[in-house]
Amino acid sequence: MLAAERRPDPAPEDAGLLRFLTCGSVDDGKSTLIGRLLLDTRSILADALSAIERTSRRRGLERIDLSLLTDGLQAEREQGITIDVAYRYFSTGRRKYIIADAPGHEQYTRNMVTAASTADLAIILVDARKGLLTQTRRHATVAHLVGIPEVVVAINKMDLVGFSREVFDRLCAEYRDFAGRLGAGRTRFVPMSALDGDMVVERGERLPWYDGPTLLELLEEAPASGAAPAERLRFPVQWVCRPHTAEHHDYRGYMGRVESGRVRPGDEVVVLPSGSRTRVARVELHGQAIPEAVSGQSVTLLLADDVDVGRGDLIALAEDAPAPVRELAATVCWLGEAPLAPGRRYVIRHATREVPAVLGAIDHRLDVNTLDRHPAERLSMNDIGRITLRLARPLCPDRYADNRATGAFVVVDEATNDTVGAGMID
């Protein structure tokens, strides 16, 4: 049962799923903003809302503390900070949303990278009183590095600066200057008070000088997840299906998800890294033949010839297949407690393939506050830098700028099996 009826007149078309990330410095109001979105879109269960109201009264607060709606971790509630990536879900009449609430502290940059890796849009909050802070620039840099296509800069707490247009314009100009040096793409700006709800879902009455969309309107208009998939077919093989039954005596299907592009029966494909060529004989979804499979679908491919294919291989159209490489140049965010250093052995996990690797060189460490590049002999936790890795066996990657699925990888410590790095291939 919901606390109130849903919005009465949802838009007729389905705008699809949008994954977005909220980030910013500590106390910029991320949790309150998410709580406001959930409350004003009528996405809160009645019993959850009652519990939050009771907690707010018990704490002596004059109004409901919306930040409590996003606190799924007890430690977070006790400390008053966000210590991990928290995911929340809501929907309007037009589309569904998955929110990743990234921590505000510098030492949790790795958590933001994790959350940002699958985001279609980032909301970067700025406290109107404090302006752009170190963490604002850090999050803007990370959002750019991981290729988030849409960024919304939310100038929050406008109620504490008298809803000043001059403050809003000044902060927008400062952010545009930084984003320009970063080389960031499309950025939208919106003034708001997450605490009171102005320009979040409803427009309110205290920002008459702003005639742009509200935050929710920006979210509703943003391109859907996978709306512009890369055109090149990339199908990492997850499993080779051989039932060994009388009915399927000669059946051999290659199961996986179409990470980008589309595949149809008759397509000439190449299996990588071996380079074997054949054609697609059949595309199956839940055991039934379908005329084509597109990005995001998990399907089974049957090939015309008996070529050698195994888990970790990549199937691509023959005319635009990626080239096998034995060396990777990439930007990495280091996640591990032990630093990235020469001499240590790692495993690179790229799509469904794993290969041993060693560090070839650290080209530089990036200062995400100034965008300066510094020489480095190692990368510590939360550092971002450009490195070269030497691979024991070939991989067939794309540039991250061309394909977020096959242009990314994770680094696994061979000794501990811990994930210690996230990489984006240059």
Side-chain angles (χ1 to χ4, degrees), residues 61-82:
L61 303 177
E62 296 179 353
R63 65 174 84 187
I64 183 172
D65 184 355
L66 294 174
S67 67
L68 296 175
L69 291 168
T70 67
D71 290 344
L73 302 174
Q74 183 63 31
E76 182 179 40
R77 294 189 181 199
E78 292 173 351
Q79 299 177 40
I81 61 172
T82 304

Side-chain angles (χ1 to χ4, degrees), residues 109-178:
T109 297
R110 58 177 181 166
N111 302 76
M112 185 199 165
V113 172
T114 301
S117 62
T118 57
D120 305 300
L121 181 147
I123 299 174
I124 297 179
L125 272 85
V126 176
D127 187 325
R129 301 168 302 171
K130 302 175 182 175
L132 271 62
L133 302 177
T134 297
Q135 197 64 344
T136 311
R137 296 182 175 87
R138 174 176 287 268
H139 285 167
T141 302
V142 172
H144 172 64
L145 286 174
V146 301
I148 296 178
E150 298 270 332
V151 172
V152 175
V153 178
I155 310 297
N156 192 27
K157 304 189 181 183
M158 290 295 295
D159 52 307
L160 300 181
V161 295
F163 296 94
S164 168
R165 182 172 189 167
E166 289 70 24
V167 171
F168 176 72
D169 290 343
R170 174 172 53 80
L171 296 179
C172 290
E174 289 181 13
Y175 188 92
R176 286 194 186 96
D177 177 67
F178 182 77

